[in-house]
Every structure is written in structure tokens, then in C-alpha cells.
Amino acid sequence: MLGEVGIDRACRIPCSRPAEPPYAEHTLDDGGPRELSPFTTPLEHQLAILEAQLDVAVELKRNVSLHSVKCQQATGELLDRMKSKHGAAWLRISIDLHSCGLSAQTWQQIAKRHSNVFLSLSTAINARSPAHKALIAACAPDRILVESDFPDARLGAAYTWHMLCTIAAVKGWRVEDAWDDAETDEAEWGAVRRLEENWKLFERGEHKEYVQRKRRRDRAIEEWEANEGSE
């Protein structure tokens, strides 16, 4: 898997060198956090690197964890370029919009154009904004994933579970209190089972292009115009 990789308009270049692991416990000698400079990396530079990385991911058939901060339009345009450039090969891999901060409207537009893109949410990042519940509501049941996005692995499970419960509450899914390996009807799946199946879809890749069906009214208008033109 590739990632996480991505684009970020908010990230500033630190004044000091990167921290040594474990990152969550790193402080400077004076006990304070790393100082950030006022400088950022130009978006054009970030996109050039990211597109090269995505080209390799398509070539090697590797799924991608994609970071996007304050780059809604640029992210949508990037995904469109990759689809146009790689065609069917683009649909062989899955893209996870990691701790996705897109608006519900932007997500719906991306989801319609890209059947291989999934939405992943975390309590640590997304719960800072009340808009994350609208994003959950706007996402199709089979395109949503969950994560911790927390720097301390000891708390990863608790943070992941919290977001799972949030998604279940918004979607109206029950949360299982016991695991059943027996095959059950999809309508009976709880939140854990649904998210497990979504992960399997993400992991497997090999997605199919959406075929948008024309509404009956639109087809009738086209047939009428064709008949008028032949007379």
C-alpha cells in the first residue's frame, strides 16, 4: 500500500529536523513543541510529487491512503486527471481519503465519478468539526471506512471504536455485542461487519465503472428530437 501521501495547504515547514521515534513523546530540549516556520510547500510542487507516486501505485497495483487538507478542488481535479490518464488501470486500485475533511457535497461529486474511492474517518481529526456527521450521512454504506489517526498506538483501538460508534449512530446501524462467523443477510449486518466488508472491498480493488442510467424523461426527449430530425 502507498501512503499516506497527499497534498496539504495548511502544513508549515518546521524549523528543526524531523523527530526521532516515538514521535508522540518528542519535545525539544527546552521542553516545548517543534517550532514551525511561516513557510509552506507550493501546491504545484506537492502535486508533481504526488502524481508521480500515484503513477507508481497504478503500475504496481498498490492501494493508496490519500491525505488532503484544505485542497478540496485540487483533490477532485487530481483524481479526475488520474482516471483520464490511466483509464481501466486506475480502477484496479483503491483510494482511501484518509481522515477525510471534504464537504458532503464535494464527497458526493467525487464518489459519483470514482467508484474506487473510499471515505475514511477518525475521531482524532474529523470529530473536531460537527460537519463530519453530514459527511457520514452522505456516504454510501459500502464506501465508508474507519481509523484512529492517533499517534499513540496504545490508544488506537479506543479511538477507532469511538468513530465506529459515531458512524453506527448516524447510519442507524446496530453495534454487535458478539461476533457471528455464520453467513447472514446483508440487511442484518451490524456496524462492525459492514465496515469489515468495506475493508475487504477496498483491499481487493478491481472496481467497475459506474454506468449512469438516463432517466426515462431524458430518453423520451432524445427519441423525440431524433424523430423530429429525421422528418
Side-chain angles (χ1 to χ4, degrees), residues 17 51 81 154 158 161 209 228:
R17 64 180 177 82
E51 290 191 28
R81 286 198 301 277
R154 293 169 295 185
W161 181 255
E209 181 67 87
E228 284 291 307

Short mmCIF file of all heavy atoms in Angstrom, two decimals, residues 17 51 81 154 158 161 209 228:
data_model
loop_
_atom_site.label_atom_id
_atom_site.label_comp_id
_atom_site.label_asym_id
_atom_site.label_seq_id
_atom_site.Cartn_x
_atom_site.Cartn_y
_atom_site.Cartn_z
N ARG A 17 14.84 19.70 12.64
CA ARG A 17 14.80 18.45 11.88
C ARG A 17 13.65 17.58 12.37
O ARG A 17 13.14 17.76 13.47
CB ARG A 17 16.11 17.70 12.05
CG ARG A 17 16.41 17.26 13.48
CD ARG A 17 17.74 16.53 13.57
NE ARG A 17 18.06 16.16 14.94
CZ ARG A 17 17.59 15.08 15.55
NH1 ARG A 17 16.76 14.28 14.90
NH2 ARG A 17 17.92 14.81 16.80
N GLU A 51 1.55 13.01 -8.02
CA GLU A 51 1.16 12.35 -9.27
C GLU A 51 2.18 11.29 -9.67
O GLU A 51 1.81 10.22 -10.18
CB GLU A 51 0.97 13.39 -10.36
CG GLU A 51 -0.26 14.26 -10.13
CD GLU A 51 -0.62 15.12 -11.34
OE1 GLU A 51 -0.32 14.70 -12.47
OE2 GLU A 51 -1.21 16.20 -11.14
N ARG A 81 -7.77 13.65 -13.21
CA ARG A 81 -6.62 13.50 -14.10
C ARG A 81 -6.08 12.08 -14.08
O ARG A 81 -5.71 11.53 -15.13
CB ARG A 81 -5.50 14.47 -13.69
CG ARG A 81 -5.75 15.91 -14.05
CD ARG A 81 -4.46 16.72 -14.03
NE ARG A 81 -3.79 16.69 -12.73
CZ ARG A 81 -4.09 17.49 -11.71
NH1 ARG A 81 -5.10 18.36 -11.82
NH2 ARG A 81 -3.42 17.42 -10.58
N ARG A 154 -1.14 2.75 21.50
CA ARG A 154 -1.82 2.20 22.68
C ARG A 154 -3.27 2.65 22.77
O ARG A 154 -4.09 2.00 23.42
CB ARG A 154 -1.06 2.61 23.94
CG ARG A 154 0.33 1.98 24.06
CD ARG A 154 1.13 2.62 25.16
NE ARG A 154 1.44 4.03 24.87
CZ ARG A 154 2.21 4.80 25.64
NH1 ARG A 154 2.75 4.31 26.74
NH2 ARG A 154 2.43 6.06 25.32
N ALA A 158 -9.20 2.30 20.91
CA ALA A 158 -10.27 3.07 21.55
C ALA A 158 -10.77 4.19 20.63
O ALA A 158 -11.98 4.42 20.52
CB ALA A 158 -9.77 3.66 22.87
N TRP A 161 -12.76 2.62 17.74
CA TRP A 161 -14.09 2.17 18.21
C TRP A 161 -15.04 3.36 18.38
O TRP A 161 -16.22 3.26 18.05
CB TRP A 161 -13.95 1.41 19.52
CG TRP A 161 -15.26 0.90 20.05
CD1 TRP A 161 -15.99 1.38 21.09
CD2 TRP A 161 -16.00 -0.21 19.52
NE1 TRP A 161 -17.13 0.65 21.27
CE2 TRP A 161 -17.17 -0.34 20.32
CE3 TRP A 161 -15.79 -1.11 18.48
CZ2 TRP A 161 -18.13 -1.32 20.09
CZ3 TRP A 161 -16.74 -2.09 18.25
CH2 TRP A 161 -17.89 -2.19 19.04
N GLU A 209 -16.58 0.54 -13.39
CA GLU A 209 -17.03 1.89 -13.69
C GLU A 209 -18.53 2.00 -13.48
O GLU A 209 -19.29 1.09 -13.81
CB GLU A 209 -16.69 2.24 -15.14
CG GLU A 209 -17.07 3.64 -15.56
CD GLU A 209 -16.27 4.71 -14.86
OE1 GLU A 209 -15.18 5.04 -15.34
OE2 GLU A 209 -16.76 5.19 -13.81
N GLU A 228 -37.78 13.99 -34.81
CA GLU A 228 -38.04 15.28 -35.46
C GLU A 228 -36.98 15.58 -36.51
O GLU A 228 -37.26 16.11 -37.57
CB GLU A 228 -38.03 16.39 -34.39
CG GLU A 228 -39.27 16.43 -33.53
CD GLU A 228 -40.48 16.88 -34.30
OE1 GLU A 228 -40.45 17.94 -34.93
OE2 GLU A 228 -41.49 16.14 -34.29
#
